[in-house]
Amino acid sequence: MLYFIVGAVSDISGISEINTNPLMKTAISLLILWSLALTQLGGLKNTQKIAKCGFFLGIVLPVLLLWFSAFWYFYHGGHRMIDLKLDGLMPHLSDKGGLEVFVAFILSYMGIEASATHANEMYNSRKNYPLAILILMICTILFSSVSGLIIALVMPNSEISLSSGLVQALSKITSHVTHDAVWAVKIFSALLVFGVMGEISAWITGPSKGLLVTAKQGLLPVSFSGVNKNGVPVKLVMLQLLITSIAIVLFTNISSSSNSAFLIALSLTVLIYLCAYFMLFVSYIKMVITKKKTTSGFVIPGGKACRLLVAAVGFITSLFAFVVSFIPPESVIGHMQRKDYLFELLISFLIVISIPFIVCKTRRKK
C-alpha cells in the first residue's frame, strides 16, 4: 500500500526520483507510515472517520471515474491492447508469467476478516456483520476485476507499473482527449492516495487487537498488554511500525527494481496470510466434524456437507495460491533476477514464519 502511495505521489509531483530513487522512496514511505500511525493513537473514532472517507472518496469515486472515462475512451475509438474474446480474457495456467495475477487477486480479498475485531461494536452484529462482509466482497470483485480489465485494455503489458497501473491507465485515457488534462490525472491520483491511506490507517490498529489478546494471555511481555485512554495498545502499534519500517528499508534498498520490491512485498503478504488461512480452514473443518451443534453467532447454511465443502474449497484455493506465490513473473522480472527474487522472498518468509514459534517457546520457558 505504501509503495502504491509513493508511486502515485511521484506521478502527481512529476518527480520520478520519488519512485525510482531507493533512499527517497524509503524516506517518504516511512514519513507516511509514521504520520498515519500518530492519527490512530486517538482510538477507533479516528480510524472510522478516515476509513469511511477514504473508502467513498478514495476508492468508490476514483473507480467510477475510471469506468466512465474508459467507456468514453473506447466509444471514441480508443485502441484495445488485448482481445475481448474468452481466450484473451482467461489466464492460462500453463503460462508461468501470468500466474502472478492470481496472487494479486487473492490479496484483494485478504484481510477482510481483520474487521472481525470490531464486530461486537456493531448493532445486531449477528445479522449486520455478515451482510456488511457480503456487500464488501461484491464491491471488491467488481472494483478489482473491472478496473484490472480496463488497465489491461488501455496499457501495453510491458509498460504497466505494478504500483501505479490505475494512474497510468487514466493518464493514457485523458491524453487521448487532450494534452491539457494533466490536472485531472493528478486529482485522480490524489483521491487514490487518500483511499489507500484510509486502508493503512485501519491496518495500523486492526492487527494490534489480535496481538493484545496474546499479550494478555502471557505470550508477549506483560507491558504490551497496556492501552492508552482511547483503548489503543500503543506499545504493540509501535512494535508493528518498527517491524514494518525495517521491511521497508530492506525491500526498497536491496531489491533490484521498484517492481521487484513491490512484488516481494505483495507475495510475502500473501504467503503469511495463507499460513493463517490454512489453520483457519483446518480448525473449522475439525469443528464441523467433531461438534454436532455449534454455538457460533453465524452458521453457513446448507448443513454439514455444505460447510465442509466451503472450507475445502477455501483450503485448496489457498494451497494453490501458496505455490503460485513462489513463481516470479517473467514479464516483470528478468531471467537474471529470478534467483535473487526467490532468495529474498524465501528468506523473508522463513524469518517471519519462525518468529511466532520463537516467541512462544521463549515465553513458555519463562
Side-chain angles (χ1 to χ4, degrees):
M1 292 179 184
L2 286 167
Y3 283 152
F4 176 86
I5 291 176
V6 171
V9 170
S10 176
D11 290 328
I12 293 171
S13 63
I15 305 173
S16 60
E17 288 79 8
I18 290 177
N19 198 32
T20 57
N21 185 298
L23 292 178
M24 189 178 294
K25 190 172 185 176
T26 301
I28 293 176
S29 297
L30 292 175
L31 178 63
I32 295 170
L33 177 67
W34 285 86
S35 297
L36 286 172
L38 294 177
T39 66
Q40 300 311 298
L41 298 182
L44 187 60
K45 289 183 179 180
N46 290 345
T47 306
Q48 286 178 333
K49 290 178 182 178
I50 296 175
K52 285 180 181 178
C53 292
F55 179 72
F56 288 105
L57 295 178
I59 297 178
V60 176
L61 181 58
V63 165
L64 293 178
L65 287 173
L66 179 68
W67 291 3
F68 178 78
S69 60
F71 174 80
W72 189 96
Y73 173 77
F74 293 118
Y75 182 78
H76 287 83
H79 179 65
R80 293 199 305 262
M81 295 297 169
I82 61 171
D83 195 347
L84 284 178
K85 293 180 180 179
L86 184 62
D87 184 61
L89 293 174
M90 294 297 292
H92 299 281
L93 297 182
S94 59
D95 180 13
K96 294 182 180 180
L99 287 175
E100 76 277 3
V101 176
F102 182 78
V103 178
F105 271 99
I106 286 291
L107 184 59
S108 299
Y109 310 124
M110 286 180 163
I112 198 167
E113 77 287 341
S115 60
T117 56
H118 304 299
N120 291 332
E121 299 165 23
M122 293 181 69
Y123 171 75
N124 192 9
S125 60
R126 181 173 182 176
K127 176 183 177 181
N128 291 334
Y129 183 70
L131 180 61
I133 294 296
L134 179 62
I135 293 172
L136 283 173
M137 287 304 298
I138 293 172
C139 289
T140 302
I141 292 170
L142 283 174
F143 288 179
S144 62
S145 301
V146 177
S147 301
L149 177 61
I150 290 173
I151 295 172
L153 285 168
V154 173
M155 295 297 301
N157 183 51
S158 59
E159 297 179 14
I160 296 176
S161 169
L162 296 181
S163 57
S164 56
L166 276 172
V167 178
Q168 282 183 317
L170 191 72
S171 180
K172 177 77 176 290
I173 291 171
T174 52
S175 65
H176 185 73
V177 184
T178 174
H179 295 291
D180 298 325
V182 178
W183 60 270
V185 179
K186 291 187 177 183
I187 292 175
F188 181 83
S189 301
L191 289 172
L192 287 174
V193 166
F194 185 65
V196 178
M197 281 185 174
E199 292 186 55
I200 293 176
S201 298
W203 275 112
I204 290 173
T205 55
S208 63
K209 292 270 187 174
L211 288 172
L212 182 61
V213 174
T214 64
K216 289 180 177 180
Q217 291 178 345
L219 289 175
L220 290 175
V222 179
S223 60
F224 284 108
S225 61
V227 297
N228 66 6
K229 62 180 182 180
N230 299 308
V232 178
V234 179
K235 286 189 176 182
L236 285 174
V237 170
M238 292 297 113
L239 178 61
Q240 287 179 182
L241 291 172
L242 180 61
I243 294 172
T244 308
S245 298
I246 293 172
I248 289 171
V249 172
L250 291 176
F251 290 155
T252 308
N253 293 277
I254 292 178
S255 300
S256 55
S257 67
S258 177
N259 273 343
S260 178
F262 184 88
L263 274 174
I264 291 173
L266 184 149
S267 299
L268 181 60
T269 304
V270 172
L271 289 170
I272 296 168
Y273 251 125
L274 290 173
C275 288
Y277 282 4
F278 290 146
M279 293 186 286
L280 178 74
F281 288 123
V282 170
S283 300
Y284 182 76
I285 290 171
K286 180 183 178 182
M287 183 189 74
V288 172
I289 293 174
T290 57
K291 291 188 177 181
K292 293 183 178 181
K293 187 176 180 181
T294 178
T295 57
S296 174
F298 174 78
V299 179
I300 297 174
K304 181 181 287 188
C306 187
R307 292 196 285 272
L308 289 174
L309 177 63
V310 171
V313 170
F315 184 87
I316 293 170
T317 305
S318 300
L319 185 61
F320 177 70
F322 187 88
V323 175
V324 169
S325 297
F326 283 103
I327 302 176
E330 296 177 359
S331 58
V332 179
I333 297 179
H335 178 72
M336 296 300 293
Q337 298 173 343
R338 288 169 62 87
K339 290 183 179 179
D340 293 336
Y341 171 85
L342 288 171
F343 178 76
E344 290 177 35
L345 179 60
L346 182 60
I347 294 299
S348 300
F349 173 70
L350 291 176
I351 290 173
V352 173
I353 210 68
S354 66
I355 292 175
F357 295 97
I358 295 171
V359 170
C360 286
K361 187 174 182 180
T362 303
R363 295 303 300 174
R364 281 171 179 163
K365 281 185 177 180
K366 290 184 178 181

